[in-house]
Structure formats: structure tokens, C-alpha cells
Amino acid sequence: MTNYLSFTDDHHLKYPFRPIAFHALKTSTMKTRKSWAEPYKIKMVELIKMTSPRQRLKAMQAAGYNTFLLKSEDVYIDLLTDSGTSAMSDRQWAGMMLGDEAYAGSRNFYNLEKAMQETYGYKYLVPTHQGRGAEHIISKLLIKKGDVVPGNMYFTTTRLHQELAGGTFVDVINDEAHDPKSEFLFKGNIDLKKLEAVINKYGAKRIPYVSMATTVNMAGGQPISMENLKAVRKLTRKHNIRIIHDMTRVAENAYFIKEREKGYANRTIASLVQEICSYTDGATMSAKKDALVNIGGFLALNDWDLFEEARNMVVIYEGLHTYGGLAGRDMEAMSIGIRESVDYDHMHARIGQVLYLGDKLIEAGVPIVHPVGSHGVFLDASAILKHVPQDHFPAQALAAALYINSGVRSMERGIVSAGRDAKTGKNHYPKLELVRLTIPRRVYTQAHMDVVAESVIDVFEKRKKINGLKMVYEPKYLRFFQARFEPLK
Ligand code: PM9
């Protein structure tokens, strides 16, 4: 009989404590226990304001029914984004005090370079102020007018930089990714037939790279499998095409591979992250997500010549190549955050919290994207507001209604975010019309998730009373950030 007091590490690996929400994962082979807790203690708190429905209605009217235009002090639980909203650890804050604020050659740059190389395995680092800074540089360096860039679903800033550089984005994600009800566990996978068709149609010379994201944000934080990634590598190698990896949530993707993909259960998150990166040629990173910082990003490359060009270009748009728009203290916090992001207990609790909220909504019959993804729960606005046509912005209206109901801020991820076709000027009509409840890392407790679930369920029950919106102001680029709306009668 096993001595309870002498469990081996091996036993711990086989039967770790599971977040309660994992019973929903059909493929999970792990045991569950009744409750679980965050792997941290809270050392400092930020007070949040409670508001009345009347105050919230006024705030929403003033914000033009766009949650991006609300003042954050009017928000009770802020699930707008997981970007730059993480709580840093005491070690990261201690690192901030070690900022070497030199213009050139800051010690913190070298620490960041080392953390990036050791954690992700890429050779060369170009720091940038955030992810889109890296997207700007790589798009300008690799894309020529008339090129096509296949990828596993568009992301707003990524596609815009590709278009501004003269390219056209082509979606080659598998069909399941566009179906909120599909339970496919790797909805981030690239459809190899679609990718091959794009290569045959345009020729490899017009494809500067495949844009491959881990996890896929606009699909609901859905992961790509290691098997699919290997196959994409094989195909692109045959045609001599690069893979540029949007590694914004790579550790979250690695966690799903460990949980869901056969043969990976005993691997560490760190080793899976390394393996994912090893199948790609370079990466853009918004460190504001996985890497647990409030600001920062980078471009990572393996090709020296390309790195030299990027290092030269970064001085034009971001700053010297040893700071790229960041303070020394920001780079130090990032280097520590990168290492913390691949810790199993951290990721287990992070994704466990997202699943906890997702499970509550599934139990209540609220239509959401299945399976629950890495960084948030995505409400299926077209299924919830069946009476609101896509041209009346159902997800935008639902996000506004949720805020007015309880002060919970979410983000539209539907027709407003999809924007217009760069060539025809016509609206894109995405199949997914979603509201994202994005969970910041290490910020909220399960009690906050309970309140969010109650509010979403309440709004769901009152859904017939929610009308659509009309857009009364539309900015030219990335309209979701600043567009304004009015309610339709
Ligand atoms: N993502 C998000 O809320 C920030 C605002 S929405 C544009 O999800 C991916 C997959 C992202 C991402 C930002 C960026 C850009 C690139 N790729 O915001 O420039 O999710 O650091 O990164 C947001 P930056």
C-alpha cells in the first residue's frame, strides 16, 4: 500500500490537484478534487468602485456604447482584456527597482535576452514597446506589395500591419474554429489542405511567411496541437516558407497540449513552449499577456541577416535596439515574468479560473464558444441576441448591456472588430459574433467570477429586451477601439 506521507513526484504528476472545472474536459485523464485555490497570497489590494445602474447607463451613453471608451474608474469588474492587466509578482516588483535606466546597453536588456533565449529558444531579440511594434517591423521587413499571408485566423493589429505593408491576409484555420458549438479540442489548427491550396494558387514566392498564433485569440483562445504544428513545419519547409509565430499566449497553448494531446501529459510547460518555438523561424510577442507585464513586447528571430535589418529598423520606430521603447525596469519585470509564465501551478490556476467561469455559464445554458479557451470566456452574441442582425452589432450591444447590468466590462469581438476589407471597403462579416469576458492574470478571485456569471445569466434572461445599435462614428483603422454607437429604437 502507498504510504500517504511518501508520495513520490511521479505520483504528484499523475494525480495533481485539478481545478474543479476540469470535469468538463472530456479528454482529461486526471483526478479531480472538490476545491482548489490560487497559488499566491495577496499582498496589496486596489479598491474598486461600486456604481448604480443609473450611473452606469450615463457612463455608457457618454462612452458611445463602446466599452473601450469607458473610464476604468467606472468599471466594477474589468474583463475588457488580459493585455497589460496582470498583477505582477513581488519578484517582478523587486526587479523594477533594479532598473538600469541607461540609454544603451542596459543590464536589464541582457537579462531579458537571456530569459527569452532560455525560455523560448530563439537566438536574437529586438525589444519593442508592445506586440504591435514587433508586428510593424516584421511586416515591413518581409511583406512586399501583392504578397499573401496565410494564417490561423486574423488578429486585428497583426492583419492591419500586414495590409499596411502591402499584403493580404488569407485565413487557413480549420472550419471548426468558425463554429462556436464545435467541441474540437484544437480549433487553432491550420487546415493543411487550405494552406496547400494557397501555396498552389499564389506560389511560394508570394508568401513571405505563414502567420501562426498560439493560442488563437479571435477564435476564443483556442490552441494549436503539436501534431498540426509539426505538419505545418514540414509543408512550409518543403516550399521554403517561413513561419512567424504570434507567441502572445504560447505558454497557455502549451498547457492545453499537455492536458489534451496524446503523449504530452508528462511534459513540463517550459519544454513544450521550447518545442513549439523550435518549429518556427521567428516570433512577435505581446509580453502584456503570457509574460505578465503591464507593458512590453519583442521580436525574436533566428536568422542573423533578418535580425540585423530588424535591429536597424527598431531604432526608427521604437528606440535603440537595447531598449526598443521600454524602460530598463520594464525589461527586468518582463524577464522575470517570462520565467514565471511557464510554471505549471501558475498556468493551472490561470486556465482553471477561466474554465470555472465557463462551466458556470454552460450550466446555466448561456451560449458560449466551446471548448472554453485560454484567456477568456466568449459569449456567442449571435445565439443570445437572435433578433439582432449582424449589421446592428449584436456583440457590441450585448457588451453594453452587460456593463449597464452590473459594471462588468467586456469586449466586442465580432463585426466591429473585423472591420472592413482593405480593397473593397465593405464590412467583413465574421462567422463569430462574440463578446469576450477576458480574465486578467492573478487579479480577480473566484468570487468575482461568481458575480460575473450571475450578471451574464441575468442579462441572458433579459436578452429579448436588448436592441441593436447603429454606428455613428467610425475611425479609419481598428475601428473597435474608438467607434461610437447609438441604440436603435
Ligand atoms: N491583444 C487583446 O485584448 C490587446 C487589445 S486588442 C488589439 O486581446 C495577439 C494574439 C494579441 C494582441 C493584443 C496583439 C497585439 C498581437 N497578437 O496589444 O500591441 O492578442 O501588445 O499586441 C489584445 P499589443
PDB file of all heavy atoms in Angstrom, residues 347-363:
ATOM      1  N   MET A 347      -0.038  28.333 -14.404  1.00  0.00           N
ATOM      2  CA  MET A 347      -0.884  28.155 -15.591  1.00  0.00           C
ATOM      3  C   MET A 347      -2.139  27.342 -15.270  1.00  0.00           C
ATOM      4  O   MET A 347      -3.224  27.609 -15.787  1.00  0.00           O
ATOM      5  CB  MET A 347      -0.043  27.484 -16.689  1.00  0.00           C
ATOM      6  CG  MET A 347      -0.640  27.603 -18.056  1.00  0.00           C
ATOM      7  SD  MET A 347      -1.132  29.299 -18.472  1.00  0.00           S
ATOM      8  CE  MET A 347       0.431  30.024 -18.876  1.00  0.00           C
ATOM      9  N   HIS A 348      -1.950  26.386 -14.382  1.00  0.00           N
ATOM     10  CA  HIS A 348      -3.046  25.530 -13.933  1.00  0.00           C
ATOM     11  C   HIS A 348      -4.159  26.384 -13.297  1.00  0.00           C
ATOM     12  O   HIS A 348      -5.345  26.230 -13.608  1.00  0.00           O
ATOM     13  CB  HIS A 348      -2.416  24.603 -12.894  1.00  0.00           C
ATOM     14  CG  HIS A 348      -3.277  23.551 -12.344  1.00  0.00           C
ATOM     15  ND1 HIS A 348      -4.005  22.702 -13.125  1.00  0.00           N
ATOM     16  CD2 HIS A 348      -3.500  23.194 -11.062  1.00  0.00           C
ATOM     17  CE1 HIS A 348      -4.654  21.863 -12.328  1.00  0.00           C
ATOM     18  NE2 HIS A 348      -4.363  22.146 -11.083  1.00  0.00           N
ATOM     19  N   ALA A 349      -3.766  27.325 -12.449  1.00  0.00           N
ATOM     20  CA  ALA A 349      -4.743  28.186 -11.785  1.00  0.00           C
ATOM     21  C   ALA A 349      -5.304  29.213 -12.756  1.00  0.00           C
ATOM     22  O   ALA A 349      -6.490  29.531 -12.718  1.00  0.00           O
ATOM     23  CB  ALA A 349      -4.085  28.897 -10.601  1.00  0.00           C
ATOM     24  N   ARG A 350      -4.470  29.704 -13.649  1.00  0.00           N
ATOM     25  CA  ARG A 350      -4.901  30.736 -14.589  1.00  0.00           C
ATOM     26  C   ARG A 350      -6.012  30.184 -15.502  1.00  0.00           C
ATOM     27  O   ARG A 350      -7.097  30.738 -15.611  1.00  0.00           O
ATOM     28  CB  ARG A 350      -3.671  31.184 -15.413  1.00  0.00           C
ATOM     29  CG  ARG A 350      -3.855  32.420 -16.275  1.00  0.00           C
ATOM     30  CD  ARG A 350      -4.459  32.105 -17.601  1.00  0.00           C
ATOM     31  NE  ARG A 350      -4.629  33.221 -18.479  1.00  0.00           N
ATOM     32  CZ  ARG A 350      -5.522  34.198 -18.360  1.00  0.00           C
ATOM     33  NH1 ARG A 350      -6.332  34.244 -17.336  1.00  0.00           N
ATOM     34  NH2 ARG A 350      -5.646  35.128 -19.281  1.00  0.00           N
ATOM     35  N   ILE A 351      -5.710  29.054 -16.108  1.00  0.00           N
ATOM     36  CA  ILE A 351      -6.701  28.495 -17.037  1.00  0.00           C
ATOM     37  C   ILE A 351      -7.858  27.882 -16.245  1.00  0.00           C
ATOM     38  O   ILE A 351      -9.015  27.931 -16.671  1.00  0.00           O
ATOM     39  CB  ILE A 351      -6.017  27.517 -18.019  1.00  0.00           C
ATOM     40  CG1 ILE A 351      -5.073  28.351 -18.895  1.00  0.00           C
ATOM     41  CG2 ILE A 351      -7.045  26.741 -18.841  1.00  0.00           C
ATOM     42  CD1 ILE A 351      -4.457  27.677 -20.073  1.00  0.00           C
ATOM     43  N   GLY A 352      -7.562  27.374 -15.059  1.00  0.00           N
ATOM     44  CA  GLY A 352      -8.620  26.836 -14.198  1.00  0.00           C
ATOM     45  C   GLY A 352      -9.675  27.891 -13.892  1.00  0.00           C
ATOM     46  O   GLY A 352     -10.869  27.607 -13.857  1.00  0.00           O
ATOM     47  N   GLN A 353      -9.228  29.121 -13.699  1.00  0.00           N
ATOM     48  CA  GLN A 353     -10.186  30.194 -13.386  1.00  0.00           C
ATOM     49  C   GLN A 353     -11.081  30.506 -14.595  1.00  0.00           C
ATOM     50  O   GLN A 353     -12.281  30.742 -14.442  1.00  0.00           O
ATOM     51  CB  GLN A 353      -9.417  31.447 -12.959  1.00  0.00           C
ATOM     52  CG  GLN A 353     -10.324  32.494 -12.361  1.00  0.00           C
ATOM     53  CD  GLN A 353      -9.577  33.698 -11.828  1.00  0.00           C
ATOM     54  OE1 GLN A 353      -8.686  34.234 -12.490  1.00  0.00           O
ATOM     55  NE2 GLN A 353      -9.919  34.132 -10.643  1.00  0.00           N
ATOM     56  N   VAL A 354     -10.480  30.474 -15.775  1.00  0.00           N
ATOM     57  CA  VAL A 354     -11.269  30.714 -16.997  1.00  0.00           C
ATOM     58  C   VAL A 354     -12.306  29.592 -17.155  1.00  0.00           C
ATOM     59  O   VAL A 354     -13.488  29.840 -17.439  1.00  0.00           O
ATOM     60  CB  VAL A 354     -10.343  30.796 -18.238  1.00  0.00           C
ATOM     61  CG1 VAL A 354     -11.166  31.022 -19.499  1.00  0.00           C
ATOM     62  CG2 VAL A 354      -9.300  31.903 -18.078  1.00  0.00           C
ATOM     63  N   LEU A 355     -11.853  28.362 -16.937  1.00  0.00           N
ATOM     64  CA  LEU A 355     -12.770  27.218 -17.068  1.00  0.00           C
ATOM     65  C   LEU A 355     -13.885  27.255 -16.021  1.00  0.00           C
ATOM     66  O   LEU A 355     -15.016  26.866 -16.279  1.00  0.00           O
ATOM     67  CB  LEU A 355     -11.996  25.899 -16.937  1.00  0.00           C
ATOM     68  CG  LEU A 355     -10.990  25.591 -18.047  1.00  0.00           C
ATOM     69  CD1 LEU A 355     -10.274  24.284 -17.769  1.00  0.00           C
ATOM     70  CD2 LEU A 355     -11.659  25.530 -19.406  1.00  0.00           C
ATOM     71  N   TYR A 356     -13.542  27.748 -14.843  1.00  0.00           N
ATOM     72  CA  TYR A 356     -14.530  27.851 -13.760  1.00  0.00           C
ATOM     73  C   TYR A 356     -15.691  28.741 -14.201  1.00  0.00           C
ATOM     74  O   TYR A 356     -16.867  28.387 -14.061  1.00  0.00           O
ATOM     75  CB  TYR A 356     -13.832  28.428 -12.523  1.00  0.00           C
ATOM     76  CG  TYR A 356     -14.738  28.711 -11.352  1.00  0.00           C
ATOM     77  CD1 TYR A 356     -15.083  27.702 -10.458  1.00  0.00           C
ATOM     78  CD2 TYR A 356     -15.240  29.989 -11.128  1.00  0.00           C
ATOM     79  CE1 TYR A 356     -15.914  27.970  -9.366  1.00  0.00           C
ATOM     80  CE2 TYR A 356     -16.065  30.262 -10.054  1.00  0.00           C
ATOM     81  CZ  TYR A 356     -16.401  29.249  -9.170  1.00  0.00           C
ATOM     82  OH  TYR A 356     -17.222  29.509  -8.102  1.00  0.00           O
ATOM     83  N   LEU A 357     -15.343  29.903 -14.768  1.00  0.00           N
ATOM     84  CA  LEU A 357     -16.393  30.819 -15.238  1.00  0.00           C
ATOM     85  C   LEU A 357     -17.160  30.187 -16.407  1.00  0.00           C
ATOM     86  O   LEU A 357     -18.394  30.224 -16.453  1.00  0.00           O
ATOM     87  CB  LEU A 357     -15.762  32.159 -15.666  1.00  0.00           C
ATOM     88  CG  LEU A 357     -16.715  33.180 -16.284  1.00  0.00           C
ATOM     89  CD1 LEU A 357     -17.826  33.572 -15.311  1.00  0.00           C
ATOM     90  CD2 LEU A 357     -15.964  34.428 -16.738  1.00  0.00           C
ATOM     91  N   GLY A 358     -16.413  29.582 -17.325  1.00  0.00           N
ATOM     92  CA  GLY A 358     -17.052  28.952 -18.489  1.00  0.00           C
ATOM     93  C   GLY A 358     -18.052  27.884 -18.074  1.00  0.00           C
ATOM     94  O   GLY A 358     -19.185  27.827 -18.579  1.00  0.00           O
ATOM     95  N   ASP A 359     -17.661  27.057 -17.122  1.00  0.00           N
ATOM     96  CA  ASP A 359     -18.541  25.973 -16.663  1.00  0.00           C
ATOM     97  C   ASP A 359     -19.833  26.514 -16.062  1.00  0.00           C
ATOM     98  O   ASP A 359     -20.907  25.957 -16.259  1.00  0.00           O
ATOM     99  CB  ASP A 359     -17.820  25.132 -15.610  1.00  0.00           C
ATOM    100  CG  ASP A 359     -17.131  23.941 -16.246  1.00  0.00           C
ATOM    101  OD1 ASP A 359     -17.080  23.891 -17.486  1.00  0.00           O
ATOM    102  OD2 ASP A 359     -16.650  23.060 -15.511  1.00  0.00           O
ATOM    103  N   LYS A 360     -19.711  27.611 -15.309  1.00  0.00           N
ATOM    104  CA  LYS A 360     -20.911  28.198 -14.676  1.00  0.00           C
ATOM    105  C   LYS A 360     -21.898  28.648 -15.755  1.00  0.00           C
ATOM    106  O   LYS A 360     -23.102  28.471 -15.609  1.00  0.00           O
ATOM    107  CB  LYS A 360     -20.518  29.413 -13.823  1.00  0.00           C
ATOM    108  CG  LYS A 360     -19.915  29.017 -12.518  1.00  0.00           C
ATOM    109  CD  LYS A 360     -19.998  30.128 -11.492  1.00  0.00           C
ATOM    110  CE  LYS A 360     -19.798  29.507 -10.138  1.00  0.00           C
ATOM    111  NZ  LYS A 360     -20.897  29.506  -9.265  1.00  0.00           N
ATOM    112  N   LEU A 361     -21.371  29.239 -16.829  1.00  0.00           N
ATOM    113  CA  LEU A 361     -22.251  29.735 -17.886  1.00  0.00           C
ATOM    114  C   LEU A 361     -22.841  28.578 -18.693  1.00  0.00           C
ATOM    115  O   LEU A 361     -24.015  28.610 -19.075  1.00  0.00           O
ATOM    116  CB  LEU A 361     -21.495  30.721 -18.782  1.00  0.00           C
ATOM    117  CG  LEU A 361     -21.013  31.984 -18.054  1.00  0.00           C
ATOM    118  CD1 LEU A 361     -20.300  32.932 -19.001  1.00  0.00           C
ATOM    119  CD2 LEU A 361     -22.184  32.716 -17.387  1.00  0.00           C
ATOM    120  N   ILE A 362     -22.035  27.544 -18.916  1.00  0.00           N
ATOM    121  CA  ILE A 362     -22.550  26.368 -19.639  1.00  0.00           C
ATOM    122  C   ILE A 362     -23.695  25.748 -18.833  1.00  0.00           C
ATOM    123  O   ILE A 362     -24.761  25.437 -19.370  1.00  0.00           O
ATOM    124  CB  ILE A 362     -21.424  25.332 -19.897  1.00  0.00           C
ATOM    125  CG1 ILE A 362     -20.408  25.888 -20.902  1.00  0.00           C
ATOM    126  CG2 ILE A 362     -22.005  23.999 -20.407  1.00  0.00           C
ATOM    127  CD1 ILE A 362     -19.152  25.060 -21.077  1.00  0.00           C
ATOM    128  N   GLU A 363     -23.472  25.600 -17.526  1.00  0.00           N
ATOM    129  CA  GLU A 363     -24.513  25.004 -16.666  1.00  0.00           C
ATOM    130  C   GLU A 363     -25.815  25.798 -16.719  1.00  0.00           C
ATOM    131  O   GLU A 363     -26.900  25.234 -16.645  1.00  0.00           O
ATOM    132  CB  GLU A 363     -24.026  24.944 -15.211  1.00  0.00           C
ATOM    133  CG  GLU A 363     -23.263  23.668 -14.899  1.00  0.00           C
ATOM    134  CD  GLU A 363     -22.466  23.785 -13.599  1.00  0.00           C
ATOM    135  OE1 GLU A 363     -22.900  24.511 -12.697  1.00  0.00           O
ATOM    136  OE2 GLU A 363     -21.391  23.159 -13.533  1.00  0.00           O
TER     137      GLU A 363
END
